[in-house]
Amino acid sequence: MMNADGAVSASGPFKPTQIGSTIIGAAVPRIDGDLKTTGAAQYTADFHFLNLAHAVPVQSTVASGSIRRLDTSTAEKMPGVLAVLHNGNIGKLYRVVPNDFAATASEARPPFEDKNVYYWGQYVAVIVAETLEQATAASKAVVIEYDTKPSSLKASLNDYTGKRKSVSKRGDVDKVFASAPVRIDQTYVTPVETHNPIEMHATVATWEGDKVTLYETSQGVWNHRMAMSQILGVSRENVQVITRFLGSGFGGKLFPWPHSAMAAMASRQLNRPVKLSLSRRMMFSNVGYRPRCEQQIKIGATQDGKLVSLRQDYLNQTSFIDDIDEGCGEATPYLYSVPNLEITSALVQRNTGTPSPMRGPGAVPGLFAMESAMDELAIALKLDPVELRLRNEPTKDEGTGQQFSSRHLRECLETGAQKFGWSKRTPAVGSMRGTGSQAGKILGWGMAAASWGAFRFGANATAEFCANGRVCVRSATQDIGTGTYTVFAQVIHEKTGVPLDRIDVFLGDTSLPEGAMSGGSWATASSIPAIAAAAANAKRTLLTVAATTPGSPFMDADAAKLELTEGLIHKTGSAPGTGVPFEEIIVLGKLSGITGEGKTIPTFEDPKAKDFSLHSYGCQFVEVEWEPEIARLRVSRVVSVIDAGRIINHKAATNQIMGAVVMGVGMGLLEQTVYDQRSGQPINGSMADYLMATCADTPQIDVTFIEHPDLVMNEYGARGVGEIGLAGVAPAITAAVYHATGIRVRELPVRIEDLLHSEILEA
């Protein structure tokens, strides 16, 4: 349930006999589940205020040029129109000062900064009207004339001739590759992919004097506040950002986009609330995407499968507004043992919007190339793909020289092979035939390793024992659909013993203590140390109050010999049921509540953590079914084995991995954003035309966690699971496709036309 203050709590108590012997690691149902399934959860576009106006952006219809004339006269006279804002009248806006987040993956430029146009769909004006329908109609009446310039829209990046940056280097990679007994030299391509969460981006802005409140679709309310205070020229204390619930984001909602400032400025000028909700088509041009990446991989190996050299040269698409490096070499330096390695990168500008992180940025497309090349190497060596990886297991991070905080990739590979039945695989192309329900189908089996960085950033939290018998936990992070509300409640329950249905979780509001962003799979690992410390500090103070308050049954007792069980304070050794409810002690002490604070130290500042290489690992085993008679290909089975430290909530974590695997099926077989080479408009910019995996495409998915707590990360040993489930899925699919058809697909997605020349089909 949710109260008027925005707290989320469970609708019923946690029952260990039903869920597990301990709440940490149990499959605890979402405490926000009832709110979402009944429609009570309030997403950004659900906020409605008295006198609310609606804003609709006007978008450019050219990819490159400048605005010669902007005629808004007709639109301004249309029914219900309140304002038409553009470069000439939106008011003073400012750029964001570059920092680790705000200027690396979003447009740090304010909207309408100048009259230049850099991509189709760029906002050139915004209509504000009494109703959404009136604003939409007026947006079509704005007349714009452009001075166009030649645009760069070519999909391929092979026209790049500039310099490349060396990202990582050791040894003499080119010399050793030239003399290697076995060599792989191939280029792998991942296309532009567009985030398509169910909930589209939106902002509702309200002003009270100099203070602005922004109801946002944000994966990082605190960072959003920082950026918007700079763009609007308002002190940070006068900006409040609220994100109660998020209908997912996949990284596209990590950073502010121009529509947020547009809504805020419209609200400021009109002195009334303004709502701006993006359409699905706007999602394809204005709020990021995974950029196209082209990667040349060169691997040199001995005849017995030992890697001796590895080169990765990647290009990725970026915009003419921001330089966004996808980071495809993130996992390459440490995943395998290889003495000679170099990674280079370069950016290729195109007249498209700015790229942004998309689930598993860098590592996911990078691993598609790396793991595809490893599969090709295994075939060239006539060596089992699992065995090849085992033979190249490093003892330390060879990119940094650091020891791994925890690494169990070998166990993942061995467990995955056993669960999948890998020993039954016959390596010859097209040699495996289905039986039973798979009769008549050719089976292809493929696998790939996976990795993702483990991160712990700074976070703050408070825990409060309240006089009404409830415990409140507060932190300005947000739940993007991954179960953060529930994880917070689990930690508070574990630390205090207070039943789950008496715990209130407050998130998604910058009036709360600064919390972690929900991206990079770091929200849980970053937040739980702060929550645990806050709960422990509050509990310590509570027991001290119990031992020092006149009239307390524990007056003059040793606070260290008091305990709190199921919300009851009792002496150590006595039956918990004989204790006193903690709220009675609070009332007796004439207190409104007892609060403890907690703080997380980032790993890069923690002397116990900064010298370790922190990553999660995993592997994906995939089966595809190939029916050559009708050219039908589908993924039928996936076994995903994940080493992500201790799992806090098995239900939520399993759902995360399963969702990521389905997304991997989309990446491997379906997803690609295509731009019209004449205008730069996304041709398939709609849910009807952009292909994604649906229920019908979802394979049988088996998820296993290799649980080795990583105590360098936090006291629970937990790392994140959001991205690691997607890593490795696409290369495992293409490996399975090769095994079934004999066709090696090196450019995603796999298309049926790629397979029409299969020898299996022609046979």
Side-chain angles (χ1 to χ4, degrees):
M1 62 180 179
M2 172 177 275
N3 65 27
D5 295 326
V8 173
S9 57
S11 57
F14 165 66
K15 299 178 181 179
T17 56
Q18 295 180 355
I19 303 176
S21 58
T22 175
I23 198 167
I24 300 298
V28 180
R30 303 283 182 91
I31 66 171
D32 53 333
D34 289 352
L35 295 170
K36 291 184 175 180
T37 55
T38 60
Q42 217 172 357
Y43 294 84
T44 297
D46 294 329
F47 283 93
H48 188 85
F49 299 98
L50 186 66
N51 208 28
L52 180 72
H54 295 265
V56 172
V58 178
Q59 297 178 273
S60 166
T61 56
V62 302
S64 180
S66 60
I67 300 171
R68 183 191 325 126
R69 186 173 74 93
L70 181 70
D71 185 353
T72 62
S73 57
T74 300
E76 290 169 351
K77 298 173 184 175
M78 293 180 69
V81 172
L82 301 169
V84 182
L85 303 182
H86 48 76
N87 170 262
N89 66 0
I90 193 171
K92 188 65 174 177
L93 293 171
Y94 306 87
R95 288 197 173 199
V96 176
V97 176
N99 64 66
D100 288 343
F101 299 119
T104 58
S106 69
E107 292 186 82
R109 303 166 69 253
F112 318 145
E113 184 179 50
D114 51 41
K115 295 185 178 182
N116 294 325
V117 174
Y118 299 96
Y119 59 93
W120 184 95
Q122 179 180 321
Y123 303 135
V124 294
V126 61
I127 308 290
V128 190
E130 296 286 355
T131 69
L132 176 62
E133 292 77 12
Q134 290 170 336
T136 301
S139 70
K140 301 180 187 305
V142 176
V143 177
I144 309 172
E145 296 178 359
Y146 301 94
D147 291 319
T148 59
K149 298 178 182 178
S151 57
S152 179
L153 294 165
K154 179 183 175 184
S156 173
L157 309 179
N158 61 10
D159 56 329
Y160 182 77
T161 58
K163 293 183 179 180
R164 294 174 181 262
K165 177 177 68 176
S166 183
V167 177
S168 181
K169 185 176 183 179
R170 58 180 182 262
D172 192 337
V173 65
D174 293 331
K175 180 180 178 180
V176 174
F177 177 78
S179 60
V182 182
R183 288 173 288 184
I184 298 296
D185 182 357
Q186 297 292 348
T187 297
Y188 304 90
V189 179
T190 52
V192 171
E193 299 172 55
T194 299
H195 316 74
N196 268 293
I198 293 176
E199 181 201 26
M200 292 172 283
H201 290 245
T203 299
V204 179
T206 67
W207 287 81
E208 288 186 27
D210 294 331
K211 180 182 177 181
V212 60
T213 301
L214 300 171
Y215 298 84
E216 281 291 345
T217 47
S218 175
Q219 292 178 239
V221 293
W222 202 269
N223 182 70
H224 198 108
R225 176 196 191 195
M226 181 277 296
M228 291 307 298
S229 71
Q230 294 185 49
I231 291 174
L232 298 175
V234 176
S235 68
R236 193 173 301 181
E237 293 72 23
N238 282 341
V239 179
Q240 183 177 5
V241 178
I242 296 173
T243 301
R244 298 284 188 228
F245 294 95
L246 206 72
S248 195
F250 306 125
K253 296 175 183 175
L254 274 169
F255 308 100
W257 294 99
H259 67 267
S260 184
M262 290 159 57
M265 292 301 286
S267 177
R268 173 189 265 176
Q269 291 199 22
L270 294 172
N271 194 30
R272 59 190 290 186
V274 171
K275 178 186 293 187
L276 194 162
S277 298
L278 269 60
S279 67
R280 182 63 62 177
R281 182 162 289 277
M282 291 174 190
M283 297 280 288
F284 279 82
S285 56
N286 298 87
V287 286
Y289 55 88
R290 193 195 301 279
R292 180 182 177 93
C293 301
E294 298 182 4
Q295 307 176 65
Q296 184 178 15
I297 301 286
K298 293 182 178 181
I299 301 179
T302 63
Q303 291 288 359
D304 62 356
K306 184 66 182 75
L307 302 187
V308 295
S309 69
L310 172 57
R311 170 174 283 281
Q312 179 183 24
D313 301 306
Y314 71 87
L315 301 170
N316 76 254
Q317 171 183 344
T318 189
S319 70
F320 281 94
I321 299 172
D322 289 299
D323 293 337
I324 306 299
D325 189 330
E326 176 66 6
C328 294
E330 190 273 330
T332 310
Y334 65 83
L335 191 56
Y336 300 115
S337 177
V338 54
N340 303 282
L341 173 146
E342 184 170 18
I343 303 166
T344 69
S345 69
L347 307 179
V348 183
Q349 291 180 313
R350 292 288 186 255
N351 286 111
T352 52
T354 297
S356 70
M358 184 171 177
R359 198 172 200 167
V364 166
L367 284 169
F368 169 68
M370 180 66 200
E371 291 300 284
S372 294
M374 286 291 283
D375 192 68
E376 296 203 53
L377 177 61
I379 292 170
L381 292 167
K382 295 182 172 57
L383 185 65
D384 183 89
V386 174
E387 179 61 26
L388 173 64
R389 289 162 172 85
L390 292 174
R391 290 186 185 184
N392 290 282
E393 177 72 4
T395 58
K396 65 179 181 179
D397 184 331
E398 295 180 355
T400 64
Q402 297 172 315
Q403 295 298 314
F404 295 111
S405 64
S406 178
R407 177 181 167 119
H408 299 277
L409 178 57
R410 176 181 293 274
E411 189 175 346
C412 289
L413 292 166
E414 292 171 345
T415 301
Q418 188 275 325
K419 296 200 72 172
F420 192 79
W422 189 256
S423 62
K424 299 176 184 178
R425 178 182 182 267
T426 56
V429 168
S431 62
M432 298 184 68
R433 296 296 196 274
T435 60
S437 62
Q438 294 179 311
K441 300 174 182 177
I442 298 170
L443 303 183
W445 285 8
M447 59 79 55
S451 182
W452 180 251
F455 309 98
R456 190 183 80 215
F457 287 87
N460 298 273
T462 62
E464 180 185 7
F465 289 95
C466 304
N468 61 0
R470 305 187 68 80
V471 176
C472 298
V473 56
R474 298 177 173 91
S475 183
T477 185
Q478 48 287 306
D479 192 332
I480 64 172
T482 54
T484 305
Y485 278 114
T486 309
V487 167
F488 275 37
Q490 287 178 260
V491 173
I492 291 294
H493 173 86
E494 193 265 345
K495 286 295 181 183
T496 67
V498 173
L500 209 65
D501 59 349
R502 288 171 55 192
I503 296 171
D504 296 326
V505 183
F506 294 82
L507 304 178
D509 189 333
T510 54
S511 66
L512 306 173
E514 181 177 357
M517 295 178 74
S518 298
S521 300
W522 68 61
T524 295
S526 300
S527 298
I528 57 179
I531 304 165
N537 290 334
K539 179 179 175 181
R540 188 180 303 112
T541 302
L542 172 66
L543 298 181
T544 299
V545 170
T548 57
T549 298
S552 166
F554 308 105
M555 180 66 181
D556 296 328
D558 184 353
K561 295 182 179 180
L562 297 180
E563 295 183 15
L564 179 66
T565 305
E566 294 291 321
L568 301 176
I569 300 174
H570 61 96
K571 292 183 178 180
T572 301
S574 66
T578 63
V580 176
F582 72 80
E583 59 268 29
E584 292 186 13
I585 299 297
I586 293 174
V587 172
L588 193 63
K590 299 179 181 180
L591 302 171
S592 62
I594 293 175
T595 300
E597 298 180 351
K599 183 176 183 178
T600 298
I601 300 173
T603 49
F604 50 83
E605 295 178 5
D606 184 356
K608 297 179 181 179
K610 65 181 181 180
D611 293 330
F612 285 94
S613 177
L614 304 164
H615 300 89
S616 290
Y617 300 91
C619 60
Q620 315 288 354
F621 286 79
V622 168
E623 176 185 86
V624 300
E625 297 175 348
W626 170 235
E627 298 176 75
E629 300 83 2
I630 57 174
R632 182 177 185 268
L633 177 77
R634 74 179 300 270
V635 177
S636 52
R637 185 163 63 99
V638 176
V639 169
S640 182
V641 183
I642 304 298
D643 165 32
R646 188 180 184 188
I647 302 303
I648 301 297
N649 187 322
H650 264 267
K651 183 186 288 288
T654 299
N655 288 345
Q656 280 290 291
I657 300 300
M658 293 180 72
V661 168
V662 174
M663 197 169 178
V665 172
M667 181 181 184
L669 302 183
L670 301 167
E671 294 195 46
Q672 178 184 22
T673 302
V674 181
Y675 297 97
D676 188 320
Q677 295 299 296
R678 300 164 298 177
S679 67
Q681 179 179 2
I683 293 173
N684 57 339
S686 70
M687 291 288 278
D689 299 315
Y690 184 85
L691 301 180
M692 293 183 292
T694 66
C695 290
D697 303 299
T698 300
Q700 174 188 333
I701 304 172
D702 182 298
V703 177
T704 299
F705 293 105
I706 304 294
E707 290 201 63
H708 295 278
D710 188 347
L711 298 179
V712 174
M713 286 295 295
N714 47 65
E715 68 175 87
Y716 292 100
R719 299 193 296 263
V721 296
E723 268 91 353
I724 186 69
L726 177 57
V729 177
I733 290 173
T734 54
V737 167
Y738 176 82
H739 185 225
T741 69
I743 298 294
R744 174 65 63 178
V745 178
R746 300 186 180 96
E747 180 171 353
L748 294 179
V750 178
R751 303 168 180 83
I752 290 301
E753 49 266 39
D754 295 330
L755 309 181
L756 294 181
H757 297 293
S758 167
E759 294 179 4
I760 305 301
L761 178 63
E762 294 171 354

